[in-house]
């Protein structure tokens, strides 16, 4: 009797569809990033600050992943951009097939940027490639210092780590230098930017990081 590794089969199937997604994005010249974090770290708040800076010069759309409700998609639509909500039910992550099926709801021709806001979870989303160009992680000061070493996979697989809610630093015992060191130990290749969606600190560096990569994809 042969043992069937269901997890390996699931990930292999996901990788195949992710490659299809990547081909579609590349054919249309669409830059795609997968936005990941724990619940409440500020992903949607980040998009509410980012989209107004970009939508006058770029055509963009957002895929919103959540276990239930359309609250985040509604917040994005209020900014005047296309958004499609994926409700995963009991699943704690988006997978490549969900993203693939959602593409039928967008006019891909002429799209410059597709943002995928993943389900809030520190483990599962990092395991599933969606066909994106880069993975961006939001890591909140309110989560504490221990997350890079306790939940290394998402840090390891992210191309950029945004340390958010720096305005709360004086109200916590968060050690930002230790957090940066631990994140770099886990993933020395990742860029790290400190931001506050409330005060605007660091958002110019984030926008520069993002626009540079969008332009590289379009060139």
């Amino acid at each position: 009797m042969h043992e069937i590794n269901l997890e390996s089969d699931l990930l292999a199937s996901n990788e195949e569809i992710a490659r299809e997604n990547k081909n579609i994005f590349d054919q249309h010249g669409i830059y795609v990033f997968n936005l990941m974090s724990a619940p409440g770290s500020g992903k949607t708040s980040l998009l509410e600050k980012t989209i107004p800076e970009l939508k006058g010069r770029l055509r963009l759309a957002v895929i919103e992943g959540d276990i239930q409700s359309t609250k985040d998609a509604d917040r994005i639509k209020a900014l005047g951009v296309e958004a499609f909500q994926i409700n995963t039910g009991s699943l704690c992550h988006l997978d490549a097939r969900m993203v693939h099926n959602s593409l039928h709801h967008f006019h891909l021709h002429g799209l410059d940027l597709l943002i995928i806001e993943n389900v809030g979870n520190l483990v599962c989303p990092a395991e599933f490639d969606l066909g994106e160009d880069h993975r961006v992680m939001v890591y909140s000061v309110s989560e504490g210092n221990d997350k890079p070493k306790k939940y290394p996979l998402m840090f390891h697989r992210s191309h950029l780590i945004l340390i958010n809610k720096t305005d709360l630093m004086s109200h916590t015992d968060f050690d930002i230098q230790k957090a940066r060191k631990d994140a770099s130990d886990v993933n020395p290749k990742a860029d790290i930017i400190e931001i506050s969606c409330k005060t605007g600190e660091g958002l110019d560096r984030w926008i520069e990081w993002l626009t540079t990569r969008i332009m590289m994809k379009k060139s």
Side-chain angles (χ1 to χ4, degrees):
M1 179 180 294
H2 297 287
E3 181 178 344
I4 299 175
N5 191 326
L6 293 179
E7 182 178 2
S8 295
D9 290 347
L10 177 64
L11 291 174
S13 175
N14 184 81
E15 288 297 316
E16 182 178 351
I17 301 170
R19 286 192 293 270
E20 291 181 25
N21 291 346
K22 185 68 165 61
N23 287 337
I24 292 171
F25 300 145
D26 288 349
Q27 288 167 11
H28 287 85
I30 305 170
Y31 176 78
V32 183
F33 74 88
N34 178 4
L35 188 61
M36 307 181 298
S37 80
S41 293
K43 295 190 303 298
T44 309
S45 295
L46 177 68
L47 295 186
E48 288 178 320
K49 296 293 185 180
T50 302
I51 288 170
E53 295 291 326
L54 299 178
K55 74 172 188 175
R57 22 186 193 129
L58 300 169
R59 183 167 165 245
L60 60 142
V62 180
I63 294 173
E64 282 288 345
D66 215 337
I67 291 175
Q68 62 182 12
S69 90
T70 63
K71 288 184 177 180
D72 288 345
D74 293 340
R75 288 168 65 181
I76 298 303
K77 288 178 182 177
L79 300 173
V81 299
E82 293 180 274
F84 180 75
Q85 180 77 50
I86 298 175
N87 289 131
T88 62
S90 60
L91 292 179
C92 57
H93 61 86
L94 294 176
D95 63 28
R97 185 177 297 280
M98 294 176 193
V99 170
H100 186 85
N101 291 341
S102 74
L103 298 182
H104 302 292
H105 296 271
F106 298 103
H107 299 289
L108 298 180
H109 182 70
L111 196 64
D112 300 299
L113 169 64
L114 177 63
I115 302 166
I116 302 171
E117 183 178 349
N118 219 314
V119 178
N121 187 286
L122 264 179
V123 181
C124 304
E127 298 182 12
F128 289 82
D129 186 1
L130 306 178
E132 69 272 53
D133 293 291
H134 292 107
R135 297 183 185 92
V136 177
M137 177 185 182
V138 181
Y139 170 31
S140 169
V141 162
S142 58
E143 295 174 60
N145 282 107
D146 58 352
K147 295 303 180 290
K149 296 294 179 75
K150 285 184 69 175
Y151 300 93
L153 181 62
M154 186 172 289
F155 288 86
H156 178 70
R157 299 202 67 187
S158 294
H159 299 89
L160 172 66
I161 299 166
L162 296 171
I163 302 180
N164 189 26
K165 302 187 182 181
T166 54
D167 55 285
L168 297 179
M169 290 271 291
S170 61
H171 304 287
T172 71
D173 59 358
F174 188 84
D175 184 337
I176 203 157
Q177 296 307 318
K178 184 178 188 306
R180 291 181 68 101
K181 181 182 183 302
D182 287 352
S184 293
D185 287 346
V186 172
N187 183 358
K189 294 182 179 180
D191 294 321
I192 301 175
I193 301 175
E194 299 165 23
I195 65 168
S196 168
C197 291
K198 183 175 181 179
T199 68
E201 177 193 353
L203 292 179
D204 55 342
R205 293 181 59 207
W206 151 241
I207 296 294
E208 181 182 5
W209 187 97
L210 179 57
T211 53
T212 297
R213 281 150 185 81
I214 295 170
M215 293 302 105
M216 289 174 63
K217 181 69 177 278
K218 301 296 284 186
S219 62

